[in-house]
């Protein structure tokens, strides 16, 4: 993994290289031409292949928040290593500047440079934990820049971060709060593919437990579940003691300070996932006519008395669709005639009156009846419900 | 107040302005100026002219300013080496600073300044820092050793830094251990031979302890290092696996994949009967699936690796088919990879679901994806026999859509289905013929023509159809032209009466009007065949074709095993060994899976063959003679290969084989027919081949048949084990090569050390330097029962196709039985290729000796041979090395000898023997000097046995 990342280029959507950082010798920007070539070939920005080989280098890139992070490497390296690292860089920018955008990065270019230098040394990642980075380089705040300009002090810490070398590198020492609090968010996403007739082709639950911990000192926490056997496929934050989980199925850990993701887990379709909504749909195109009918209705299935909210429906219509003339019973819809994407922002479902969207579809005249079936993508939220049935038990 | 202000300096005199600011007395102004300089640097502006001014700001207590100056230094030191020296003093001073952060920062920055002069000054501070009391400094210094090594390796060795680094592996701080491992791995990469990372059970134990405590990146370094270790037995392998498994639950996907690599590698050593083996298999599935819920870039890399894992151990993910279903919003590169894995996992149990999905995909928008989906349906049909019918009807549905590219893909795959299941689905031909006009891609046209030719007797208007293609013959691509030629010849052989004119027409188009040598030569061959012996033509052209197998797109097993060792690396993404693409190939060590060494001597039972491995099928990974003939007919469409091109050169048979192997083998079958047939056409020129010049195919034949030879026969080395039972599921093969009275044979001894009966043996050779090939199929008459041994003599000829091997006498062999296919390679002694008419005329010898340039002469010494000149002559003669003349010069016997190889290469030798001295001097001259070494070895073996 020699010299893992040689150089890093940040490129915006219009193809401007707006930041470059070299960890070894300077690599000419022209190396990015290979990337632009691949970008041109890919119809969509999202389709640019993440690993591109050039005569002398490899380019490994990620696409985040409308920015490309393109890294240049020269020798055999684990690409996942690089990709993970690039995502960590983007996460850090997000964490420091509130957003990971070209404007934010340009506004804080010196901090960005300091951060990149602190995160990687000769291809070896140094400090990637936000807790440690923040001790080394203070995030920008309006207050601090005012204070700094008055006192002349800097935003670079001059003592060694305490967590850097302890066995708990993720936590800084000497944390003090007057109000000690800890919050946990359990977020579960169902990812399901349902066929025309309504039967589930594939469903799984992706869950995460995000925590916000504001506790003084070195708190040692444990968290146990009512039905831990659901959690077979889990990825843990390094702070969790794996031995204890293996033997007792208890999450025991000294948490980092602040926000972090404690665990993420997957519950696969074998444990039958009940999808809380259903869609009735009828989309038809008449033979030899330039219009078709479109009619979808959404309704709740068993939802344990919770309301389903924040529903949006996205439909990718066939290419020959010119325009759509629809009436929603609630919410609003838009149709983008260029990308052929129909978006319907539904809002909440009230069981008394099920939301529906009906109307006419205009096709290109003379075009044959579309073969493909439009796919519907539905997103919704339910507060205070864990689909997997996971329950959290106690705090020690 | 944001940093963007640094970008908006006045354009005019920018550098000048900055210079003034940098030299300002005010600290704050200085800092702002340095920030401006850094900002310009980030967008690629050249601010190197400010070097001295920036370096002047280095002496400061302000850490931020210091860091900024260091940043600048790292970027520009290389271009201003003399100036960089100015900074050295400050560095040395900073390395003594009471603040560990500053000490570490200084040593880190110094290592990044890639200027030779600075490195001398770096040594002392570095040595101190490596022993610093603060672990943060030590871990930074460890990395610095690697940096320094990259600049000046000799210096690092002389200063003893490598030993210090090795000591750090036992450091009390896990982060220091991880960095030391990383640095050592990096250094070891550029010194593949050095034993830097001398892993032993103790150091492994230390690494495993550090693994639990260091950061995620450190874990990756340690895991990658562990993967290079070979445990001494299965117990040790198991205990390492047990301690690595918790990493599978790590949030960092690179840690997960590195852990998977270690487990996949060490699993090889575990007996499949162990309970732990099963547990491990179960534990591997969830983390791999979890990788697929990560960002698309991570998914892509994960999928490329899963593709390898699925081929190696299909049982891990066999129940997880659904996670590979394509989502509409997946990027195309993820979609294509998922599709590939779906096919690999397709089995009778899940084929219905897979087909339903594939049918959906075939109506998607993206053309590449749709094409691949259609191909995938074809591959399902070939892989899962029970589903073939459903696949065919799905394909017919798709053809009905009349979407041009869908139809074309469908026809290409249907051709493969016809080949896999002959005489089953021909009823659909009529539907296919309806779409003849819409085909505009060469592959689809060629496939359709193949179908028409193959089933000419069932298609009433086959002649009309083919004739319609003939009109634009010269505008077609080569693929289509070749196919059309063959198809019409087939048609003629099936319906000779009505199609004579057509066949004349195509033959003249191919031989007279075409500039393409492949086409012309194929035309001539058919012409000759048809005009001399139509019966033989029928036998050749309408011969039974070898079945195609479902697994043609599998990665060759040895390559797969190597790639498994590279899980998670670029090699695994490209499915090529690193030596194939890493620039310069520097420090690439060939890795292989560890052999199973059980502590309790449990032998593997043959029943434990992986569930997904093909049994009883005929995957033709290495083409046989039969295939070469097949090549003449119709196989240039190639097997349904998808995915990236493989590095195995044996899978795709190019047009060269048509001439090289194909023609030779055609003629080799009936040598007497050739001498008196005059075709009136020039003999095809031997294709340019790499390596040894090869005589024309015709002369090879005579070498074989005209040999009178001595009766004694050549020296036969004792049998050696070529394929140990452990590697071949219980089949042990040992053997040797013999040459007797002009014929070469391979004497094999097959032993069944498994518990089940073995049947259906077959053997194939890969292309090799001298075209060695089996002259007859491997005849094992009765099934081989357990513990039974059978001796077989397999006659060989040298008319197979030729490819230069390294070493020259390397022979790669594939042996198949009812259990599996096995591969091994062996070296054959060159003297089996010495032909019986290798005695050169005296005059000729003299002329040739002079004619061959001196740089082609090679000298060798044969030691410890007590024979006299007479005995040497006799002994060599029995192995077809002929003494032409003998002279005595100054008490030394000089023997002048000649020999000829099967491919017509002459080797001339001068052997100097001094009575009483057991060392002989051998000088060899040959137009192909690369054979000399092997000829010398042949001398050695013959004389000493």
């Amino acid at each position: 993994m020699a010299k893992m990342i040689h150089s890093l280029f940040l490129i915006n959507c219009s193809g401007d290289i707006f930041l470059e950082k070299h960890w070894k010798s300077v690599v000419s920007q022209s190396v990015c031409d290979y990337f632009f070539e691949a970008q041109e070939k890919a119809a969509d920005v999202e389709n640019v292949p993440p690993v591109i080989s050039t005569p002398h280098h490899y380019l490994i890139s990620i696409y985040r928040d409308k920015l490309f992070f393109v890294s240049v490497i020269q020798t055999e390296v684990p690409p996942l290593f690089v990709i993970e690292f690039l995502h960590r860089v983007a996460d850090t920018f997000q964490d420091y500047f509130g957003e990971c955008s070209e404007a934010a990065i340009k506004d804080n270019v010196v901090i960005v440079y300091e951060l990149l230098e602190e995160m990687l040394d000769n291809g070896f990642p140094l400090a990637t934990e936000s807790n440690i980075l923040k001790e080394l380089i203070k995030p920008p705040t309006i207050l601090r820049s005012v204070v700094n300009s008055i006192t002349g002090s800097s935003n670079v810490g001059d003592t060694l971060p305490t967590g850097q070398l302890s066995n708990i590198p993720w936590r800084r020492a000497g944390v003090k709060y007057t109000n000690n609090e800890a919050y946990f968010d359990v977020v579960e996403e169902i990812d399901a593919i349902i066929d025309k007739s309504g039967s589930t082709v594939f469903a799984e639950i992706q869950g995460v437990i995000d925590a916000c911990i504001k506790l003084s000192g070195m708190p040692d926490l444990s968290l146990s579940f009512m039905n831990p056997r659901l959690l077979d496929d889990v990825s843990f934050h390094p702070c969790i003691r794996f031995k204890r989980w293996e033997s007792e199925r208890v999450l025991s850990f000294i948490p980092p300070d602040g926000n972090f993701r404690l665990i993420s887990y997957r519950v696969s379709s074998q444990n039958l996932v009940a999808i809380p909504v259903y869609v009735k749909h009828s989309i038809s195109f008449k033979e030899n006519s330039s219009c078709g009918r479109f009619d979808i209705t959404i309704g709740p299935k068993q939802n344990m008395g919770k309301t389903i909210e924040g529903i949006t429906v996205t439909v990718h219509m066939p290419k020959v669709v010119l325009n759509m003339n629809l009436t929603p019973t609630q919410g609003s819809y838009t149709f983008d005639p260029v990308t052929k994407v129909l978006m319907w922002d539904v809002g909440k479902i009230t069981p008394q009156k099920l939301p529906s969207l009906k109307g006419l579809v205009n096709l290109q005249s003379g075009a044959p009846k579309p073969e493909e079936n439009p796919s519907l993508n539905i997103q919704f939220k339910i507060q205070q419900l864990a689909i997997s049935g996971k329950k959290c038990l106690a705090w020690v | 107040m944001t940093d963007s202000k640094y970008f908006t300096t006045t354009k005019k005199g920018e550098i000048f302005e900055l210079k003034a600011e940098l030299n300002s007395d005010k600290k704050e102004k200085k800092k702002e100026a340095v920030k401006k300089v850094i900002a310009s640097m980030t967008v690629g502006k050249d601010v190197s002219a400010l070097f001295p001014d920036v370096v002047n700001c280095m002496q400061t207590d302000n850490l931020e300013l210091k860091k900024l100056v260091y940043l600048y230094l790292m970027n520009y030191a290389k271009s201003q080496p003399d100036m960089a020296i100015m900074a050295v003093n400050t560095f040395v001073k900073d390395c003594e600073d009471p603040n560990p952060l500053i000490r570490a920062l200084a040593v880190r920055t110094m290592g990044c300044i890639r200027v030779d002069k600075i490195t001398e000054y770096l040594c002392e501070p570095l040595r101190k820092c490596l022993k610093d009391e603060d672990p943060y400094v030590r871990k930074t210094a460890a990395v610095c050793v690697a940096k320094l090594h990259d600049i000046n390796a000799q210096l690092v060795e002389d200063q003893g830094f490598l030993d210090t680094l090795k000591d750090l592996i036992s450091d009390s701080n896990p982060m220091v251990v991880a960095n030391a491992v990383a640095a050592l791995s990096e250094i070891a990469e550029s010194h593949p031979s050095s034993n830097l990372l001398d892993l032993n059970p103790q150091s492994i134990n230390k690494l495993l302890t550090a693994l639990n405590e260091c950061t995620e990146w450190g874990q990756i370094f340690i895991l990658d290092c562990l993967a290079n270790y070979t445990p001494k037995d299965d117990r040790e392998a198991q205990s390492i696996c047990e301690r690595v498994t918790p990493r599978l639950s790590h949030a960092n996907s690179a840690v997960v994949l590195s852990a998977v690599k270690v487990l996949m590698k060490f699993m090889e050593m575990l007996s499949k009967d162990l309970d732990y083996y099963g547990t491990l298999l179960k534990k591997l599935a969830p983390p791999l699936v979890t990788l697929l819920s990560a960002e698309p870039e991570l998914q892509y890399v994960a999928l490329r690796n899963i593709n390898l894992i699925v081929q190696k151990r299909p049982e891990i993910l066999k129940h997880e088919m659904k996670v590979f279903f394509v989502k509409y919003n997946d990027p195309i590169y993820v979609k294509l990879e998922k599709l590939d894995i779906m096919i690999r996992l397709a089995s009778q149990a899940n084929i219905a679901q897979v087909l339903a999905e594939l049918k959906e995909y075939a109506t998607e928008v993206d053309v590449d994806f749709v094409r691949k989906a259609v191909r995938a349906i074809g591959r399902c049909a070939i892989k899962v026999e029970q589903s073939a019918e459903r696949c065919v009807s799905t394909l017919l549905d798709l053809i009905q859509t009349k979407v041009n590219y869908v139809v074309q893909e469908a026809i290409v795959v249907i051709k493969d289905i016809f080949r896999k299941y002959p005489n089953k689905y021909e009823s659909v031909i009529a539907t296919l013929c309806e779409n003849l006009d819409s085909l505009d891609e060469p592959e689809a046209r060629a496939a359709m023509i193949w179908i028409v030719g193959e089933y000419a007797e069932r298609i009433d208007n086959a002649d009309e159809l083919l004739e319609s293609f003939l009109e634009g013959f010269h505008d077609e691509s080569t693929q289509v032209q070749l196919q059309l030629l063959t198809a019409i010849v087939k048609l003629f052989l099936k319906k000779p009466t009505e199609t004579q004119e057509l066949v004349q027409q195509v033959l003249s188009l191919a031989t007279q009007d075409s500039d393409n040598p492949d086409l012309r030569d194929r035309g001539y061959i058919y012409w000759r065949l048809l005009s001399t012996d139509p019966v033989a033509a029928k036998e050749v052209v309408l011969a039974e074709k070898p079945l195609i197998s479902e697994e043609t797109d599998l990665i060759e097993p040895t390559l797969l095993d190597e790639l498994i060792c590279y899980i998670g690396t670029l090699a695994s993404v490209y499915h090529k060994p690193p030596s194939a693409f890493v620039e310069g190939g520097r420090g690439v060590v060939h890795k292989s899976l560890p052999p199973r060494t059980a502590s309790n001597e449990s032998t593997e039972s043959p029943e434990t063959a992986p569930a997904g491995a093909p049994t009883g099928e005929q995957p033709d990974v290495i083409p046989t003679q039969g295939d070469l003939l097949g090549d003449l007919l119709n196989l240039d469409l190639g097997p349904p290969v998808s995915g990236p091109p493989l590095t195995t050169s044996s899978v795709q048979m190019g047009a060269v084989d048509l001439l090289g192997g194909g023609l030779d083998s055609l003629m080799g079958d009936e040598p007497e027919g050739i001498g008196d047939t005059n075709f009136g056409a020039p003999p095809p020129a031997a294709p340019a081949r790499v390596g040894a010049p090869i005589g024309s195919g015709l002369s090879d034949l005579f070498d074989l048949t005209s040999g009178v030879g001595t009766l004694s026969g050549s020296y036969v080395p004792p049998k050696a084990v070529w394929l140990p039972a452990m590697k071949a599921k219980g089949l042990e093969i040992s053997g040797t090569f013999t040459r007797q009275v002009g014929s070469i044979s391979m004497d094999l001894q097959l032993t069944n050390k498994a518990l089940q009966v073995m049947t259906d043996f077959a053997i194939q050779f890969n292309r090799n330097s001298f075209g060695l090939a089996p002259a007859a199929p491997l005849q094992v008459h009765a099934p081989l029962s357990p513990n039974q041994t059978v001796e077989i003599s397999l006659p060989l000829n040298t008319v197979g196709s030729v490819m230069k091997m390294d070493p020259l006498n390397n022979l790669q062999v594939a042996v198949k039985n009812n259990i599996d296919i096995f591969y091994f390679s062996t070296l054959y002694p060159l003297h089996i290729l010495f032909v019986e008419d290798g005695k050169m005329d005296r005059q000729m010898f003299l002329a040739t000796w002079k004619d061959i340039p001196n740089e082609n002469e090679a000298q060798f010494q044969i030691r410890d041979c007590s024979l006299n000149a007479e005995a040497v002559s006799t002994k060599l003669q029995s192995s077809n090395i002929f003494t032409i003349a003998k002279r005595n010069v100054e008490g030394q016997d000089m023997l002048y000898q000649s020999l000829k190889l099967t491919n017509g290469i002459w080797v001339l030798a001068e052997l100097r023997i001094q009575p009483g001295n057991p060392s002989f001097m051998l000088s060899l001259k040959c137009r192909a000097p690369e054979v000399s070494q092997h000829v010398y070895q042949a001398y050695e073996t013959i004389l000493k046995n």
Side-chain angles (χ1 to χ4, degrees), chain B residues 111-388:
Chain B
C112 293
I113 296 180
R114 304 177 53 81
V115 176
D116 272 339
K117 285 183 198 156
I118 286 201
T119 50
E120 300 164 28
Y121 299 96
L122 180 59
C123 292
E124 277 322 300
L126 179 59
R127 196 187 314 284
K128 268 189 215 148
C129 289
L130 279 168
K131 304 225 156 105
D132 200 284
E133 52 173 21
D134 193 299
Y136 181 73
V137 181
R138 288 204 300 278
K139 94 173 181 146
T140 315
V143 177
C144 191
V145 174
K147 294 183 200 169
L148 190 58
H149 187 270
D150 193 40
I151 305 169
N152 190 342
Q154 195 56 44
L155 186 74
V156 171
E157 274 164 45
D158 295 347
Q159 296 277 338
F161 286 141
L162 293 182
D163 294 323
T164 324
L165 207 51
K166 278 190 217 166
D167 293 343
L168 288 182
I169 291 196
S170 316
D171 199 279
S172 57
N173 185 294
M175 270 320 298
V176 178
V177 177
N179 275 17
V181 168
L184 280 173
S185 311
E186 181 181 331
I187 295 171
E189 259 175 43
S190 55
H191 283 273
S193 52
S194 70
N195 213 0
L196 273 179
L197 276 164
D198 182 21
L199 298 173
N200 51 49
Q202 287 78 37
S203 59
I204 288 292
N205 202 24
K206 278 177 192 139
L207 291 183
L208 286 168
T209 312
L211 181 64
N212 288 326
E213 292 168 355
C214 64
T215 68
E216 50 199 310
W217 312 109
Q219 293 184 8
I220 299 170
F221 295 133
I222 292 181
L223 287 169
D224 285 347
C225 177
L226 278 177
N228 291 331
Y229 175 67
T230 310
K232 63 178 193 302
D233 57 32
D234 58 348
R235 289 215 185 104
E236 194 186 1
Q238 179 174 345
S239 90
I240 295 175
C241 287
E242 277 164 3
R243 293 176 71 177
V244 165
T245 352
R247 299 301 124 211
L248 293 176
S249 300
H250 202 286
N252 185 321
S253 59
V255 175
V256 175
L257 206 55
S258 289
V260 169
K261 165 162 63 186
V262 175
L263 296 175
M264 281 296 286
K265 203 174 161 190
F266 290 3
M267 242 173 136
E268 197 68 9
M269 296 184 68
L270 301 176
S271 160
K272 288 178 176 159
D273 309 330
L274 279 180
D275 288 344
Y276 182 70
Y277 181 85
T279 320
L280 202 53
L281 277 185
K282 275 199 205 99
K283 281 193 175 167
L284 275 169
L288 289 173
V289 173
T290 303
L291 290 177
L292 297 182
S293 53
E295 288 83 355
E297 298 94 358
L298 296 170
Q299 281 187 47
Y300 171 74
V301 177
L303 285 165
R304 291 295 286 171
N305 280 287
I306 289 173
N307 199 330
L308 294 174
I309 294 169
V310 164
Q311 288 184 55
K312 180 73 190 166
R313 301 198 181 278
E315 61 272 35
I316 294 177
L317 287 167
K318 66 176 178 222
H319 298 304
E320 302 287 351
M321 168 64 89
K322 282 185 177 180
V323 300
F324 298 103
F325 283 180
V326 169
K327 294 180 189 159
Y328 82 97
N329 51 356
D330 282 334
I332 183 74
Y333 55 81
V334 168
K335 284 184 179 169
L336 295 176
E337 288 307 316
K338 280 189 173 172
L339 203 53
D340 225 27
I341 295 170
M342 279 172 68
I343 304 300
R344 297 212 192 281
L345 289 176
S347 67
Q348 209 185 331
N350 55 24
I351 195 74
Q353 281 177 328
V354 175
L355 266 184
E357 280 289 304
L358 291 177
K359 200 175 171 186
E360 284 295 318
Y361 302 164
T363 60
E364 278 256 0
V365 196
D366 191 288
V367 177
D368 284 343
F369 181 58
V370 171
R371 282 175 181 271
K372 195 155 182 182
V374 176
R375 266 186 202 227
I377 297 176
R379 274 165 71 192
C380 279
I382 289 166
K383 190 168 177 194
V384 187
E385 185 162 2
Q386 294 80 357
S387 75

Side-chain angles (χ1 to χ4, degrees), chain B residues 404-477:
Chain B
N404 188 280
Y405 52 85
V406 174
V407 174
Q408 309 215 34
E409 284 300 327
I411 285 181
V412 173
V413 297
I414 286 179
K415 176 218 54 178
D416 289 333
I417 296 177
F418 281 174
R419 282 207 46 204
K420 172 80 182 178
Y421 309 109
N423 305 317
K424 234 174 149 181
Y425 301 109
E426 283 73 15
S427 52
V428 308
I429 291 176
T431 322
L432 302 185
C433 290
E434 287 166 18
N435 293 288
L436 215 57
D437 299 331
S438 63
L439 308 178
D440 53 11
E441 289 163 21
E443 209 185 345
R445 286 174 82 86
M448 192 65 221
I449 292 169
W450 182 88
I451 293 172
V452 174
E454 189 64 21
Y455 298 102
E457 69 272 30
R458 309 189 191 187
I459 305 172
D460 295 337
N461 59 345
D463 48 345
E464 285 168 34
L465 293 175
L466 292 176
E467 200 169 359
S468 69
F469 281 104
L470 210 53
E471 282 159 17
F473 188 77
H474 289 297
D475 302 326
E476 300 283 2
S477 72

